[in-house]
Every structure is written in structure tokens, then in C-alpha cells.
Amino acid sequence: MLALNAPPGQDPVRQPFVHYRCHCNHANSHSSKSGNASEGAGTTPSAEPGTGTGTGSGQGSDNRDAMNIDDASKSQPASPTQEQPSSQTETSDTTRPSSALVLAGQQPGEASSSFQPQNETDKALYSSGNHSDTHGSIPLSRLYFCDSCDELRCPKCVQDEIVCYYCPHCLFDAPTASVKTEKHKCSRNCFYCPLCQATLSVVSEDPDATLYQSNPTDNAQYYLLCNMCLWNSQDIGVTFDKPLSLTAQLQKDDEALPDVREFARLKDHFEKYFRSTKSSLPSYLASPSYSTGYSSTSRYLSSVTSTLSSHRTQQADDIAHYTPAVQVMESTENLEKLMSIVSIKETTTMKQRLMALQSQSYSPQRLQPQRIHLRIKKLRRCRSCRHILVKPDQKGNSFGFKINLIALNQLPNITIVSIQRPMIVQTASQVILRFTNPRHEEAHVSLQYGDGASPSHGVAIRSPSFSISPFNEVWEYEVGTIAAPPGATMEDVYERTANSTCIALDITPAVAGEVK
Amino acid sequence: MELPVVHYSKSEYIETDTGNKVSRKSVICGSQNIVLGGKTILQTGSVIRGDLKRSGASNFVVVSAGRYCFLSQSCIIRPPCKAHKGAFNYFPVKIGDYVFIGESSIVQAAQIGSCVSIGKNCVIGKFTIIKDCVRIEDNTVIPPNSIIPPFSVYRGSPGKMVDELPESIREIYEARCKDRYTKFVPSVDA
């Protein structure tokens, strides 16, 4: 198979997107490095050492540009806003929340460019959804733009609400009312393989039977089969009479288990004591959609504490003693089995065990197929003004958006067109940046050096102020570069195409290093 | 870094009037059963098996691709087959717009949505349904009969979801595919 001969895992394609820093007050755990303070981080778009290995922390400002070059896809300090006062250079990234944005003659918000560190993908596995790099900068692809506040919004300053639940396998919308009772799992025929966590398919023993046969024959037995590791449910003795609503059939077996019955008995026993007081679970917690974020959790907390305290005082002695119906013996059978295994393949891996938290069996023969967890469609709101930034389609199978206010449509994207190689220390080499304007109006961009107005650290910006033509759909159909529209002032730009402008920067590396 | 400009020799590629660029060194079987939306690129060594079609039926499209698709070198598009009620049949493959398939990938999916990016050396099993806005990383093996929900990133063998794509990914992939097409230019000295 080609996959086996594949070259060793290379770095996945990194999104070539400029990173912006959001002005929200949500402190990023990554940005607490000491390097931040020394670089004058935060709003100053100075050359920040990008890699998370801490090459930049503590180093003097002289080497900043050298390290800037060390990291690929990093664009030079581009501070399009001139409104930022210089006093902000010392502050960390939790600055005041306003980024001055002027709509007409669109000056985009704070742009601090840095590089996504090498181990970003590893981090993504452990901190899912956290796409910021070590300095709290987030790629443009993940940012939103609130048009009523005129500000950038990072994923942390948006509030998520759940629109609907759907199963990632059958793509059916789960009715919101039954989501809680079904424990947020698909209630149809979707299961994970207990060994390899691929999805299982329902097959019939009878090779001529189809899945959706209207009148299944009596002796047609259906079972689950994993297409990846070829595990099938016949090995653990789980077969079905009908190919549909398998979870209901499995649930009946589940209910016969002694621990599930014991739990049901416990619940009945204690429920009558709690039912007498008025405090049942708050209704808004039972339904998955919250209208207000923080206020509901605070209300819930206060109601829970009041419930507990009232119970303790009134009914502590009212609860009768409960005798369990099943006596659990200390079983040494498991221990003996574990002591006698020869190879590691005879036990389950941690991942397999943790898929079934109730049983967590040690032997692979006792692993059961697990139902598939539901995924959600999220509605994203700006935290300050409560406007909706992203609103997905409510209708079941379509995954479009009714409202989608992404920053990509507002802020210019900065990409590196070319870097003159080889880069030699103390010699100027040219880096060409392209600014792409997504809006229908012309954009004016001004570049600033990191530490003020003077050209510093070997970076020379040839065109400190330029404009980018607006985006025009008609030009999409024309291949090739378009000449500058008439009437545009000729600044010293490298190249001007349909809705993007390239500028050249001369960089003189101070220190030899690796150019990625 | 931006995508590099890829040059190809003019003699090697056929350009149709809808803007499709098909390499002469690609293996296209049953080209009358294949439909390419405009501006699709089939690179050297890519294989599309349009000859594997359902027996008995005449004149229907076996492989249909959308606009701005990019099939990299040595990738294989093969219709999935199933033995069903004693009959052995091939099923059509429907590929959406703005789809990028990496080098040496084997794709036997039944349906691929729009704005999908498949990496190198991937194996997409039979009858897989890949919905819109999906990224499948390099060296992934997707088992047969799987369904990949939209806005997900899959990696590993068997492919598991590792990440979620942002809402802006549709615009990103559209722009990237268009950019890839405009940067695929004939070399001047050809």
C-alpha cells in the first residue's frame, strides 16, 4: 500500500496567515513568557521571536530582526494603525479593548505578526480549539470582526451558544429534547469500534440481504463490523434481529446489567426525599440552549447552594438507610488474569478503556461498541455587544451560514511572496510582502517600525504608506495582473495587482541563523 | 509563504476551452464518462478510472469533478465497487468544487464535497462520503464506508478527527484553489 511507503510524517501544511493580536482581556496562558515584556509586546507589532522554544525570550532587541527571519511565513512589522500611541509599547497584550478602527479609508486593526510554532499541532491535540501561538496571536483565519463594535474578536472573546446537535456519522439532527436523555450520543445506528475507534457498519450474515429490506427474513442476523480492524460484534455475541434502531436493542441488554439496575434503585430511593422540596433541577439547565451566559450559571450556583443547605438542615435524619440488593464481592479473578498475561496485546490500551468509562475492562474481549458522541453547531456572539457574529443554518443537512462575520473579509491578509536567498549577514536582502484587500473600498496601509519611527534593526521599509485597491468580482474572471486603476497615486510599491499590493522590504540580518 | 508558481511544459498539457488542464502523461480511462468542471488541473501521472462503470447502463457519468479542482501527481481516482445481491457493480464518484487531492493519494470515495483538501499519500476507503470543508492531512487512511462531517480535520490511520476548521475555511480554500490555478502557468521556453 502506498501509505506504508510514505515518507515519514512531514509537517502538515501550515496556514500561511498573518497573526493578529486581539485586544480582549482574556489572558492567554502561552503569552506569560518573560520574552513578552522585553519585546514590548502587545500592541507593538515589533519583530517577535515566534518559535515557542524561547529563542526570543530575554534576548536583546538587536537580535530581534535576525530571529524574525529565522521563522518562515513571518511578515515584517506592519502596524497599519497610526493611532496607537507609543506608550503602549510597554504593555502586555491585555491592553485596553479598543483598537481604533476607521471605516472609511479602512485602516485595519492591530497587526502583530508572528509565526506559528513548530509544535502547534501537538498543542492543538491537548488544547483543542486553542489556535493561538505562544504570544497570544491568532491567525487571521480564526478571527471574527464585530461590525457594531468595529473591533476584532478572537475565539476567546466570542460567546458560543448551541444551535443544534447532530451525529457526525449519520449527519442526522438529534432532537434537542432527547439529547440529554440519550447522554449526548447518537440514538440511531452509529457506533465506534472498541478496538480502533473507527465507525462500525451494520452488515448482515445473509449476503443477499440489504440494509433497508422492508421484510427482513427471520433468520437474517445483523451484526456490527469494523472496516478497519475487522472486529465484529459476533465475537462478543452481540447480534441484532433488525438493522435499524440498534441502540434501542442494545439499551435493553444494558438495562439488565446488575450495576445499572442498582443505580436505578439508588435513584428511586433518594428521589422521594428530594421531590418533597421544590428544588428540582432548574429548567434552563435541562434544555441545552442558554440565552444568557454568565447570569444563568450564577443563578444556578446560588440555587444549588441554597438547596444543599436546606437539605442538610431539614432532612439529614429523614433519609432511610439503604441496603443494596447486590453484594459486591472482592474479586480476585481479575487480578489472577492480569498476572497471567504474556503479551501486551492481551490487555486493552488506555484509549480503549477510557472509551467505556462505566466498565473500563482490562480484556479486549469484553469491550463493547460505544455510541457516537454528537457534535454541535455553534452560534457565536460578540461578548460586549451581544451581536451575532456567526449563525449557522438551522436546517438539518446544510452546513452553511446565515451570518458569517469573519475577519478575513475585513482585514488585509499579509503574505510573503518571496525572500531573497541566500541571506547573508550584514547584507541587505529583499523580502516582498503582499497585502490583499478584501473589501470593496480602497484601503490605506501605513507601516511603522517596531520601536518608533526610526529604521532599526536592519529593516528598511521602502514604502511606508500605500493604498490597496478594492476588491472587484469582475476582475476575478481576468487572468493575469491588472494594471493599477487610473487615478491611483503612484507610490513606490513593488507591484500592484487587482486587489493586492506588494511592497519590498530590505532586511539586513544581524546574526546568522536558520532560515526556514 | 505563498504558493509557488508551477511551470509546466506546454507540450505536455492539453488545455480545453473550459480551462481544464490535463496532462498527456496522466492515465485517463473512459474519458467519455468523465466530466470536469472548468479550470481543473490533472497533473502528470494522475489516474482517473472512468472505465469502471456499472455494467449494463449506458451513458452516465462515472467521475464528475467540479471547478478549480487540482489532482496532483500520481493520484488515483477509482470508483468504488460492491458485490450486491450477487451482482458486482461500480458506483459513480462525485467530486465537488475547489477540491485539492495531494500526491499519490488513492481516492475511492463515493462522494467528495466542495472545498476539500486531501493530503499526500492518503487512502480514502470505498464508499466514503466526505462532506464540504474538510481537510484530510497527509498519510491518512480513512476506512471504507465512513462519513466525514464538515469542518473537520482528519489524521491518522484509521483517520480520526483531530481539529475543527474555522468558519472562514470556505473562503480560504476557494481563494487558495483559484490562486493555485492562476499560478499553474506554462513555462516560457516550452
Side-chain angles (χ1 to χ4, degrees), chain A residues 1-3 6-7 9-10 12 15-17 73 121 125 131 141-142 144 166 168-169 171 196-199 201 208 210 227-228 351 375 380 390 399 401 404 406 408-409 415-419 434 476 479, chain B residues 1-2 39 68 76 84-86 104 106 120-121 123 131 135 137-139 141-152 155 157-158 160-172 176 178 182:
Chain A
M1 298 264 287
L2 272 172
Q10 300 155 2
Q15 282 193 354
F17 275 102
S73 86
T121 45
L125 285 176
H131 292 96
S141 50
R142 300 263 169 195
Y144 308 97
Y166 67 96
H169 185 247
L171 296 174
C196 63
Q197 283 88 48
T199 55
S201 36
D208 289 341
T210 68
N227 294 296
M228 192 75 189
K351 205 184 243 187
R375 281 181 68 179
R380 302 194 118 128
V390 174
F399 288 89
F401 297 98
N404 197 6
I406 49 177
L408 206 66
N409 288 341
T415 50
I416 301 180
V417 177
S418 66
I419 301 178
R434 180 192 299 273
E476 283 219 335
V479 182
Chain B
M1 297 283 295
E2 285 195 352
K39 311 215 172 179
Y68 288 101
I76 300 174
H84 178 73
K85 279 196 179 136
S104 306
I106 302 176
K120 303 182 211 170
N121 299 313
V123 177
K131 307 295 282 185
R135 179 167 103 216
E137 306 243 345
D138 298 344
N139 310 317
V141 176
I142 306 278
N145 299 318
S146 39
I147 299 179
I148 301 188
F151 296 103
S152 42
R155 193 197 304 162
S157 158
K160 299 220 184 84
M161 186 169 132
V162 290
D163 199 1
E164 199 167 340
L165 290 174
E167 294 83 358
S168 55
I169 199 69
R170 192 181 286 270
E171 276 90 3
I172 294 172
R176 204 178 280 184
K178 286 185 186 156
T182 45

Side-chain angles (χ1 to χ4, degrees), chain A residues 406-433:
Chain A
I406 49 177
L408 206 66
N409 288 341
Q410 307 291 339
L411 304 182
N413 191 18
I414 309 171
T415 50
I416 301 180
V417 177
S418 66
I419 301 178
Q420 184 180 355
R421 309 224 180 167
M423 286 188 134
I424 306 168
V425 182
Q426 306 297 342
T427 322
S429 40
Q430 205 180 56
V431 169
I432 301 179
L433 296 180

